Amino acid sequence: MKGPGSPQSWFVNRLQRLRTAAGSPAQAQLLAHDEHKVLTRSSLSDLLAGKFSKPPPWERVAAYATACVRAAHAGRIDLSCEEELARLRSDHATLTDLFETTAGTVRTPAARLPGPRHRPAAYRLPPRNTHFTGRDATLRELRRRLTSGGEGAMQVVHGLGGVGKTQLAVEYAYLYRSEYRFVAFVDAEDPDLVPSQFASLARELGLAEVDSEQVVHRVYGELRDHRPWLVIFDNGERPGTLRDALPSGDLGSGGHLVVTTRLRGWSGRAGVLDLDVFSRREAVQLLTRRVCGMTAEVADRIAEHLGDLPLGLEQAAGYMDYHHTAPAEYLALLASRLEDMIALGELTDRPAVVVATLWQLSVRKLRSQRPQAMRLLELCALLAPEPIPLDLFGGEEPLIAAAADPVAWDVTVGALAGLGLARRGASSLVLHRLVQAAIRAAMPDDVRADARVRLCRALLAAVPHDVHGDPRARSRWQELLPHALAVTKDEPPAECAAETATLLRLASAFLLSIGDHSVALPLCERALAIDESLGQRDAETGFDLITLAQIHRDRGAPERARPPAERALDLHESCLPADSPAIATDLATLARIHHLLGDHEAAVPLAERALRIDEAAYGPDDPYVSFDLIALASVHLSLDDHAVAVPLISRALRIREASYAPDHLYIGYALLLKARAVHALGDPAAAALARRGALILKTRLGTSHPKTEDAFALANRLQEDSGCREHAELSAAAEAHETEAAAPVPDSRPSRAPGAVT
């Protein structure tokens, strides 16, 4: 009897499954856990390969089962020795004689391992995931809710597809199996197939020839004799679709129901437990445990690309294991080809499930039932995996037609949240990065190109163009910058190349304003390359060049900043009116560059001309005039014209104190500059001015920022030197500090609207 259906074959398969449940321990580990030394390497090989002509001694079988269970406990996998031995005895009726003939030789293990008292009968419960990771607190919370009484007997586990809802429910069933007498698992994704599963369940419970209309009622009635019981409805839809499959009245007493679902709408029927993606610690733990050679650093970066989605992490581990791909190489593939990689790799227990197709059913429903919501989903897929402001889709020319009607718009946005494709906030949507990648991968090229054009134009209309003058510029740019970078990262469609260049330059100008030069530089270079390739965009090319010059200047490379600044001035003087504020921006920037290069005499007329243009364009008290005043004062300080510099700085300070919050950085920089200037004239108020400026920098930049440290050092020096006139030392210190303090945002004249000809 060695055929595929023979008791012997079944017995071998059962032993191999037992070893797998224990984490596939090696022979050495099994021998180490064989307390009575019954097993040998040859007997282990015979047991696993079925190389025996007569039933193996029960003593050896018991020793093997015990060793497997102990190995499982060593790996923190919950198995029961008594339970596994009982299954070997009774799960297959034709083996009864095999075990009974050797029952006299059974040796009771010396120490009983902790475990449940019995194993519940089970219907279609999937195998336990031996790689199940984390979720300890969630499992405890699910147990607490189910046993709390009242409405707690039914709990819904809700979450994004791939977040591990099914795995959590199955793990709960195994973890608390000793608390139930019967466990059933029902696939509820297709409601039409649920009745046939209940008919099969009825037969499992010993109910014969039950009428289809009565089968659900009869099953729950029979489960009363198997209390306490657990029924898991996996991947259910809305409550209405499962209404006929859920218990009514007191039929559910004595049992627990767990429903896993991606859909909203269950809170009126049961308690809802929202399941999120893994924590980064859990994600790293899974990858380092599953993948040979995986370091915590590489695992962290892989988890970042996969958004800590459990299914994505399992799929990645399966891919690396099958293809023997080094973790660093897989990371590189993810970074460059995410949309392709989410279709590759498979799970051991679910080979047909991959991230790329995980949301296909929801997308099909959306496409047929809510085409406006499908359009919204495609647009969101091209944005960043950060909160997406919903007002981006409205405006004078709405991206989505439904956005013009409040009710239609609420239903459209709600459809994405209801199907579990997005998380909805008060005024935003968030899509998981792998949902976005899957949607992008399925988008036709023409649909994708059209969406990019519309998004680029919408973003250009939504971002503040006056980075320095608009009071909401900083907060709005911080909100929209990730999306602007996502939409502009690839070569733009021809229809929106000009808009892409402008958006890149504006993003670069914002990043420059907050001191992020390393990111600002490549964006500005791309903007310049696009504008130059389009031709007949002299004014826009000039804006690119002057922004590029400002970046190089603030990076401490004035020699690299001078050529683009001079070229920008030439272009603008050739195509703009002589009194254009854009020319003032070029002049002020070039003056600052000459100043940093030590050519102070050349800087003075440039700064003076910039000041005259801005005063005429904006009025004498505009904040932009203060930048010109500071630039001109800085040049005079370098020429030791302190008496000329102080009135310029004082006027700039008055303008800023009237225009900005009391702790604005621009006020802090002006105070520090004035402190150095008046100290050179012997004014004892210099130390107090420096102290005020230093406190503002501390508030805005933090105590440990280099500029804050420099500011307090200056204040301390001025305090110590008050009453003394050590001009040479102070002038050198002031000059050095002025050079350092210019980097993040300081008093270098920005352009008011670099995206438009002003």
Side-chain angles (χ1 to χ4, degrees):
M1 291 180 54
K2 293 188 179 180
S6 69
Q8 183 170 311
S9 296
W10 175 88
F11 181 63
V12 172
N13 291 335
R14 181 68 193 95
L15 292 179
Q16 290 175 331
R17 283 163 54 198
L18 175 60
R19 183 179 64 163
T20 300
S24 298
Q27 282 190 343
Q29 189 177 0
L30 291 173
L31 291 171
H33 287 298
D34 176 21
E35 186 176 83
H36 299 286
K37 307 302 178 188
V38 175
L39 299 172
T40 64
R41 291 187 181 276
S42 60
S43 65
L44 276 174
S45 299
D46 290 346
L47 281 169
L48 294 177
K51 295 179 180 177
F52 43 81
S53 57
K54 61 181 181 179
W58 175 246
E59 179 185 41
R60 185 167 296 165
V61 174
Y64 176 82
T66 303
C68 281
V69 170
R70 287 177 176 167
H73 279 290
R76 297 187 178 181
I77 299 172
D78 183 23
L79 294 176
S80 163
C81 180
E82 290 180 346
E83 181 181 326
E84 294 300 336
L85 291 175
R87 289 187 68 180
L88 283 168
R89 275 183 172 275
S90 62
D91 278 2
H92 202 283
T94 57
L95 287 177
T96 302
D97 292 340
L98 182 151
F99 290 127
E100 290 302 322
T101 58
T102 55
T105 63
V106 175
R107 181 181 301 177
T108 303
R112 294 180 62 182
L113 295 175
R117 294 183 301 275
H118 63 273
R119 183 180 194 86
Y123 169 75
R124 299 189 67 206
L125 182 65
R128 191 173 193 176
N129 181 2
T130 58
H131 299 295
F132 188 87
T133 301
R135 307 294 200 194
D136 296 337
T138 307
L139 287 164
R140 289 194 297 270
E141 175 63 12
L142 179 57
R143 179 63 183 173
R144 185 194 68 76
R145 292 189 181 196
L146 287 169
T147 57
S148 62
E151 298 297 324
M154 180 175 174
Q155 291 293 316
V156 172
V157 180
H158 168 265
L160 175 71
V163 83
K165 303 179 294 295
T166 300
Q167 294 298 311
L168 181 83
V170 170
E171 179 64 15
Y172 172 85
Y174 281 101
L175 188 62
Y176 294 100
R177 60 191 169 181
S178 64
E179 307 299 329
Y180 297 104
R181 294 182 59 201
F182 190 88
V183 175
F185 184 91
V186 178
D187 183 352
E189 184 169 10
D190 186 345
D192 293 336
L193 298 181
V194 171
S196 64
Q197 295 179 70
F198 264 82
S200 175
L201 178 54
R203 292 191 293 272
E204 184 78 13
L205 291 169
L207 299 173
E209 298 181 4
V210 181
D211 184 84
S212 59
E213 295 182 359
Q214 294 293 318
V215 66
V216 172
H217 184 86
R218 291 286 303 278
V219 164
Y220 284 116
E222 184 66 23
L223 284 176
R224 289 177 175 176
D225 295 332
H226 295 77
R227 291 178 294 183
W229 48 263
L230 169 68
V231 176
I232 298 171
F233 288 92
D234 185 50
N235 211 9
E237 294 195 345
R238 293 185 177 182
T241 61
L242 289 178
R243 179 183 56 201
D244 296 334
L246 298 175
S248 59
D250 64 347
L251 286 177
S253 61
H256 294 160
L257 288 104
V258 174
V259 180
T260 71
T261 184
R262 304 177 188 182
L263 307 185
R264 293 286 183 183
W266 284 88
S267 59
R269 183 69 172 82
V272 178
L273 185 65
D274 285 309
L275 191 63
D276 205 348
V277 297
F278 273 159
S279 68
R280 184 55 53 83
R281 180 187 61 80
E282 290 172 326
V284 170
Q285 180 185 355
L286 185 148
L287 288 173
T288 52
R289 191 173 66 188
R290 288 285 311 277
V291 182
C292 181
M294 178 70 70
T295 65
E297 180 182 2
V298 173
D300 183 86
R301 295 174 63 190
I302 290 175
E304 174 69 24
H305 281 287
L306 296 174
D308 302 302
L309 187 72
L311 178 64
L313 297 165
E314 287 280 3
Q315 188 175 326
Y319 180 94
M320 285 181 272
D321 178 54
Y322 182 83
H323 293 278
H324 294 272
T325 304
E329 294 177 10
Y330 184 81
L331 173 61
L333 291 171
L334 270 188
S336 61
R337 304 283 294 276
L338 177 63
E339 293 167 27
D340 294 325
M341 296 307 294
I342 60 174
L344 302 174
E346 63 180 36
L347 281 63
T348 304
D349 56 338
R350 290 165 289 162
V353 177
V354 291
V355 170
T357 60
L358 190 59
W359 299 283
Q360 281 184 345
L361 181 61
S362 296
V363 169
R364 283 198 295 269
K365 288 181 180 178
L366 212 59
R367 195 181 300 278
S368 63
Q369 299 173 11
R370 299 282 180 190
Q372 286 285 297
M374 185 64 215
R375 182 60 173 159
L376 176 60
L377 179 64
E378 290 173 336
L379 290 168
C380 290
L382 297 178
L383 296 170
E386 310 290 341
I388 301 169
L390 290 173
D391 61 10
L392 177 64
F393 303 98
E396 295 182 4
E397 297 183 9
L399 282 174
I400 302 291
D405 180 84
V407 174
W409 181 234
D410 191 65
V411 172
T412 298
V413 175
L416 299 190
L419 286 170
L421 293 165
R423 196 168 65 247
R424 185 177 184 178
S427 58
S428 65
L429 273 180
V430 181
L431 271 68
H432 191 277
R433 63 177 67 242
L434 295 190
V435 174
Q436 292 177 305
I439 301 303
R440 288 196 303 269
M443 288 174 68
D445 291 342
D446 59 333
V447 173
R448 187 166 181 166
D450 179 70
R452 283 191 63 194
V453 171
R454 293 174 180 273
L455 283 169
C456 184
R457 292 172 179 169
L459 284 164
L460 188 56
V463 296
H465 289 214
D466 188 356
V467 173
H468 296 272
D470 190 331
R472 66 189 185 102
R474 186 182 184 106
S475 61
R476 186 61 165 165
W477 263 107
Q478 287 175 332
E479 184 179 46
L480 292 174
L481 179 63
H483 307 299
L485 297 182
V487 169
T488 59
K489 69 176 181 179
D490 297 322
E491 193 69 21
E495 299 91 330
C496 68
E499 291 93 338
T500 297
T502 302
L503 190 56
L504 285 167
R505 180 175 66 251
L506 290 172
S508 177
F510 167 70
L511 290 163
L512 173 63
S513 76
I514 61 174
D516 197 344
H517 310 124
S518 61
V519 180
L521 180 59
L523 297 182
C524 190
E525 289 174 334
R526 282 193 61 212
L528 177 60
I530 294 172
D531 275 331
E532 288 183 324
S533 71
L534 293 174
Q536 298 184 336
R537 285 176 62 82
D538 287 353
E540 290 78 6
T541 300
F543 295 139
D544 300 334
L545 286 164
I546 204 63
T547 305
L548 185 63
Q550 291 170 351
I551 295 171
H552 285 308
R553 177 202 63 203
D554 287 359
R555 282 168 62 92
E559 67 286 348
R560 295 191 64 184
R562 181 174 175 175
E566 291 176 336
R567 185 181 165 206
L569 180 59
D570 289 342
L571 283 172
H572 283 157
E573 286 184 327
S574 69
C575 67
L576 298 178
D579 58 354
S580 169
I583 292 177
T585 297
D586 302 339
L587 291 165
T589 301
L590 195 53
R592 179 69 175 158
I593 292 168
H594 279 295
H595 177 208
L596 293 174
L597 290 170
D599 190 359
H600 310 308
E601 296 290 347
V604 172
L606 296 172
E608 289 176 338
R609 184 182 165 199
L611 176 60
R612 288 195 300 272
I613 292 174
D614 280 339
E615 285 179 326
Y618 303 130
D621 298 322
D622 189 87
Y624 271 72
V625 172
S626 75
F627 288 97
D628 299 324
L629 291 166
I630 292 293
L632 184 58
S634 298
V635 178
H636 282 294
L637 285 177
S638 297
L639 292 169
D640 291 332
D641 294 336
H642 301 96
V644 177
V646 169
L648 296 172
I649 302 170
S650 297
R651 182 183 164 197
L653 184 58
R654 286 196 301 273
I655 293 173
R656 292 183 176 187
E657 288 178 329
S659 304
Y660 299 114
D663 61 347
H664 199 286
L665 273 175
Y666 291 156
I667 295 175
Y669 289 128
L671 286 166
L672 291 169
L673 191 63
K674 184 175 182 179
R676 290 193 294 272
V678 300
H679 185 268
L681 296 175
D683 190 335
L689 291 170
R691 182 72 56 182
R692 275 184 60 199
L695 289 172
I696 290 175
L697 265 64
K698 177 183 177 182
T699 300
R700 289 291 186 169
L701 302 178
T703 304
S704 61
H705 195 284
K707 295 190 177 302
T708 304
E709 295 175 352
D710 289 344
F712 276 106
L714 175 66
N716 292 335
R717 286 198 303 271
L718 297 184
Q719 183 67 43
E720 293 170 1
D721 293 346
S722 59
C724 301
R725 300 295 303 275
E726 300 175 4
H727 297 293
E729 177 183 348
L730 290 173
S731 296
E735 185 69 24
H737 186 76
E738 161 63 15
T739 300
E740 293 174 358
V745 273
D747 302 319
S748 47
R749 200 285 193 190
S751 67
R752 178 174 288 271
V757 177
T758 52

